[in-house]
Amino acid sequence: METRMSKLDSGLYELNVENSSEQLLISEGNSHLDIVVPLEKGDTKSLSLDPAEHRQMRTTAFDLSNMVSLKLVVAPGTEDQVATAISDLGAEITSVGREVVVAEVPHNRLGDLEAVDEIRRAEEAVKLQANLIDARGDATLLDAALDIRADLNGTGVVVGVIDTGIDWSHPDFIKDDKSRLEMFIHSHYDEASDRHVHEEFSQAQIDMARQNPGDMPQGDPNGHGTHCASIAAGNGAASANTDYRGVATNATLVGVRSDGLFDTHIINGIRRIFEIAGDRPAVINLSLGGHWGPHDGTSAIENVIAQESGPGRIIVVAAGNEGSDRIHFGAKVGQGETIEIPFTIRDALQRLNVWVPRGDEVSFEIVDHNGDVTVPNGEVQETDAGAFRADLRQDPINRDFNFILAVASSQRGRRWILRIHGDDITDGSIHAWGLTDNPNLARNIFMTAGTRSHSVGMPATEERAIAVGSFVSRESFLRDGAEQSGVTAGALSSFSSRGPTRNGAQKPDICAPGEFIGAALSSNSEMANNARFANRRFEGDKYVSIQGTSMATPFVTGMIALMLQMEPNLTPEEIKKMLRVTARRDAQTGGVWNRNFGYGKLDAEALISYLERNLA
């Protein structure tokens, strides 16, 4: 099939196609894919993929005057120039920083971005997914570390948490009857204005809202972000003897509630938190990630982390919870050889994101579950088993080839095959990630050919990010609860994502306690109301015990806050070196670096002692 040369990623390219009669598979924020018929404004049309009812797909029509939220990776030093140029196209600028501009651009001006020479790549907004007593003890020796420096509590350091929010009413985020949140930011899509907006609320407004809750949006309707913030910096005020306190108990907090966890919200949050911090050191926690992109540090959000990080500016990212999910396929194709990638339809709209090194020439065939073979041509193609669309583009930044396959089929559990022929091969490395719209279905996509590697999600793949995996620090949900079968203290959590990255970077960097961690429970949240969390809630429903690399990450975030209290100008590279040389190695970690534990398990006592010696 023909290789597309364009600055627009697959989703934006499909939105920009001008053919009113053609059926398209498009991406809407990469939250889902639909069979779409572009129509005149205000019209709708049902589309039935006869003959079978199971092949009927929901249809939508998009208004070409609507705005699209996107990220522009631009040439260094041209940020203001690009902002001016796209403003002239009717775009509204959301955020401008080094090498990345975030903007809302009209649908009907997407094609004009190709003519802006300074733009290197345009990416559609992507939805990411949210991925202490025992953790303080033998698992990490945090309490022993604080015996060395009892004054360490995060004072003078800003801890930013960009997530599903922070329950600003929870006692763990209040001190002396004042909120510990210096700022609360609510990032969300506003239907009335057709824009993503970022509403800010000051500490004074938060304190007023604690008396009159209707003055502010709910802090955290989900509960995930509150739990993470509590691990990093909660003071344990709602627990007996502050047993369930976090790591940096006196740090200043900035919370960002992102409805949808769009990466454009994350970018805005990163820049805004560092602005709010000013001259103070700051560390940001991102317990989230995804797999839509190159996994090599060149995406917009990875670029932002690289550019915004520096002395006293640290970003910590969860490695991901896909360690056992078989979402990655890796292989080598030789000259004249053919490899097959069998994949299972796990969702009604199944996607494969395939990367081929620059310099290699390959061709593709699609084999549906009936055995029918189709050569993709870049258009929507139908078989008796379902409809699919493939797009092949050469990325303008890393110059690698990106093949996107979207299959619309409601016959879940059926096996399809992607064949790749090595026509002219120099390298031959093939990496594919399987993606679904429902995260609960995103596993076992490559049942017979999946690899237990390369599952670290973006943006943890960025070199300057501190990427955190999870190990087991306890064997039960609650302090005196029944042990969970198959769980061994000190072992790698089965869900913890494995490295390396697609370009061979050594991620994760470190592992920390992530299973089963007790921390603050957001009031009136999903975790507070959902029956499946009932046996995990305790201390008068002020705390809950859950697990994930999402929980391991804020533990490291809190530790870095303590380090920045000791030395405010530490760089990401210096912190990674200290984590590396002080990490605990044992029979469970094996030799390091490895794809499972990174450089080993976090050892807080060794870390603080090392920094203390080097500051003397």
Side-chain angles (χ1 to χ4, degrees):
M1 61 186 296
E2 184 177 351
T3 303
R4 175 169 62 86
M5 300 298 293
S6 172
K7 298 174 182 178
L8 305 182
D9 72 12
S10 293
L12 293 176
Y13 173 72
E14 290 165 356
L15 282 176
N16 186 53
V17 172
E18 296 180 357
N19 188 330
S20 60
S21 64
E22 183 183 23
Q23 299 171 7
L24 304 177
L25 281 170
I26 71 166
S27 169
E28 296 183 354
N30 290 318
S31 60
H32 63 273
L33 292 169
D34 291 329
I35 299 289
V36 149
V37 183
L39 302 173
E40 295 297 323
K41 182 176 179 179
D43 289 344
T44 58
K45 177 181 178 181
S46 297
L47 171 65
S48 175
L49 301 179
D50 291 329
E53 286 186 7
H54 70 262
R55 294 169 57 203
Q56 292 181 351
M57 307 301 298
R58 185 172 64 83
T59 67
T60 69
F62 58 82
D63 175 0
L64 291 181
S65 67
N66 287 350
M67 306 295 274
V68 182
S69 183
L70 51 84
K71 304 97 62 181
L72 304 174
V73 181
V74 305
T78 68
E79 297 84 0
D80 291 339
Q81 183 178 345
V82 168
T84 299
I86 64 173
S87 294
D88 292 342
L89 300 177
E92 294 185 10
I93 309 303
T94 302
S95 176
V96 178
R98 285 177 290 183
E99 298 188 27
V100 175
V101 175
V102 182
E104 307 277 338
V105 178
H107 273 143
N108 59 355
R109 304 309 298 268
L110 290 176
D112 295 327
L113 299 177
E114 299 278 18
V116 182
D117 293 338
E118 295 77 16
I119 295 176
R120 301 173 67 193
R121 181 201 287 151
E123 302 176 6
E124 191 178 9
V126 177
K127 278 188 176 182
L128 305 179
Q129 56 194 51
N131 304 313
L132 288 158
I133 288 178
D134 297 89
R136 301 180 66 90
D138 290 342
T140 63
L141 299 177
L142 174 60
D143 287 332
L146 297 181
D147 286 341
I148 301 171
R149 285 285 303 268
D151 63 313
L152 291 180
N153 56 15
T155 297
V157 179
V158 173
V159 172
V161 178
I162 307 174
D163 210 291
T164 60
I166 296 181
D167 180 3
W168 39 262
S169 68
H170 197 285
D172 281 22
F173 308 122
I174 299 169
K175 180 182 180 183
D176 299 330
D177 201 34
K178 289 190 178 296
S179 177
R180 294 177 57 213
L181 274 76
E182 189 169 306
M183 187 75 73
F184 177 80
I185 302 171
H186 183 204
S187 296
H188 60 102
Y189 173 72
D190 179 65
E191 291 187 0
S193 64
D194 189 29
R195 306 289 189 277
H196 287 261
V197 298
H198 310 279
E199 299 175 295
E200 297 190 351
F201 301 88
S202 68
Q203 182 185 47
Q205 289 174 299
I206 296 170
D207 285 333
M208 290 179 63
R210 287 169 46 218
Q211 308 303 321
N212 301 288
D215 294 344
M216 272 183 61
Q218 183 178 355
D220 183 7
N222 176 277
H224 183 270
T226 296
H227 201 268
C228 293
S230 172
I231 296 168
N235 61 21
S239 61
N241 304 313
T242 65
D243 279 349
Y244 287 92
R245 64 194 181 278
V247 181
T249 56
N250 200 45
T252 299
L253 287 162
V254 176
V256 177
R257 169 183 159 183
S258 168
D259 293 354
L261 293 181
F262 285 99
D263 57 0
T264 47
H265 296 176
I266 313 306
I267 290 171
N268 182 79
I270 289 171
R271 289 172 170 166
R272 191 68 185 101
I273 289 168
F274 286 152
E275 286 176 359
I276 292 167
D279 294 333
R280 295 169 294 176
V283 54
I284 295 175
N285 189 89
L286 301 180
S287 287
L288 43 80
H291 291 280
W292 185 266
H295 294 73
D296 64 359
T298 64
S299 72
I301 190 169
E302 292 168 307
N303 239 288
V304 168
I305 291 175
Q307 297 296 335
E308 298 293 333
S309 299
R313 297 285 185 266
I314 311 300
I315 300 175
V316 189
V317 188
N321 295 340
E322 293 83 43
S324 59
D325 282 356
R326 297 185 185 274
I327 62 164
H328 172 263
F329 172 93
K332 281 267 194 179
V333 61
Q335 180 79 29
E337 295 180 348
T338 297
I339 63 170
E340 292 191 344
I341 306 180
F343 62 96
T344 304
I345 303 297
R346 299 284 299 163
D347 206 347
L349 290 155
Q350 179 75 59
R351 286 165 287 165
L352 297 190
N353 182 16
V354 185
W355 289 85
V356 179
R358 60 188 178 275
D360 287 349
E361 293 184 12
V362 300
S363 54
F364 302 89
E365 290 179 333
I366 312 297
V367 185
D368 67 24
H369 69 249
N370 294 324
D372 294 332
V373 180
T374 307
V375 176
N377 61 13
E379 310 296 337
V380 171
Q381 296 168 265
E382 291 190 47
T383 76
D384 289 340
F388 71 85
R389 178 172 185 165
D391 179 49
L392 178 63
R393 60 186 283 269
Q394 184 170 25
D395 189 278
I397 295 181
N398 60 31
R399 310 305 296 174
D400 292 338
F401 295 98
N402 184 206
F403 178 82
I404 299 292
L405 172 65
V407 179
S409 170
S410 59
Q411 296 192 24
R412 296 178 186 174
R414 299 288 188 149
R415 187 68 53 83
W416 288 48
I417 296 173
L418 172 63
R419 284 183 183 152
I420 304 178
H421 304 287
D423 300 326
D424 188 0
I425 299 299
T426 301
D427 182 290
S429 299
I430 303 293
H431 289 279
W433 285 269
L435 303 102
T436 54
D437 298 323
N438 182 348
N440 295 322
L441 300 177
R443 58 180 61 92
N444 298 331
I445 292 169
F446 302 112
M447 282 292 290
T448 60
T451 59
R452 301 289 186 176
S453 65
H454 298 83
S455 57
V456 171
M458 298 166 57
T461 45
E462 163 53 41
E463 284 274 15
R464 302 198 84 186
I466 313 297
V468 183
S470 170
F471 71 88
V472 182
S473 57
R474 59 184 307 175
E475 299 176 3
S476 65
F477 287 121
L478 304 180
R479 186 185 304 179
D480 301 318
E483 294 183 356
Q484 304 298 305
S485 61
V487 176
T488 303
L492 185 77
S493 297
S494 61
F495 52 75
S496 188
S497 286
R498 276 77 158 173
T501 68
R502 185 174 72 91
N503 60 332
Q506 294 182 334
K507 299 289 181 175
D509 296 294
I510 195 78
C511 279
E515 192 178 356
F516 303 94
I517 307 299
L521 173 62
S522 178
S523 61
N524 198 31
S525 64
E526 180 184 352
M527 289 185 187
N529 297 320
N530 193 316
R532 73 186 182 95
F533 294 101
N535 69 335
R536 306 186 188 189
R537 299 191 285 260
F538 55 99
E539 294 272 330
D541 281 354
K542 292 295 185 182
Y543 297 89
V544 65
S545 177
I546 56 178
Q547 66 279 344
T549 58
S550 285
M551 284 60 256
T553 303
F555 199 97
V556 174
T557 296
M559 282 303 308
I560 291 174
L562 303 186
M563 297 171 70
L564 291 173
Q565 182 183 350
M566 297 173 70
E567 174 45 68
N569 292 312
L570 290 173
T571 66
E573 291 74 23
E574 290 169 332
I575 287 174
K576 286 201 289 185
K577 174 186 175 183
M578 294 176 189
L579 290 171
R580 181 168 67 245
V581 300
T582 62
R584 187 185 308 177
R585 289 86 162 167
D586 55 27
Q588 290 164 313
T589 66
V592 297
W593 179 89
N594 62 59
R595 67 183 185 181
N596 300 321
F597 281 93
Y599 283 101
K601 302 173 184 175
L602 177 72
D603 187 325
E605 182 181 26
L607 185 60
I608 296 301
S609 296
Y610 181 91
L611 185 53
E612 184 89 347
R613 290 194 306 271
N614 282 271
L615 291 176

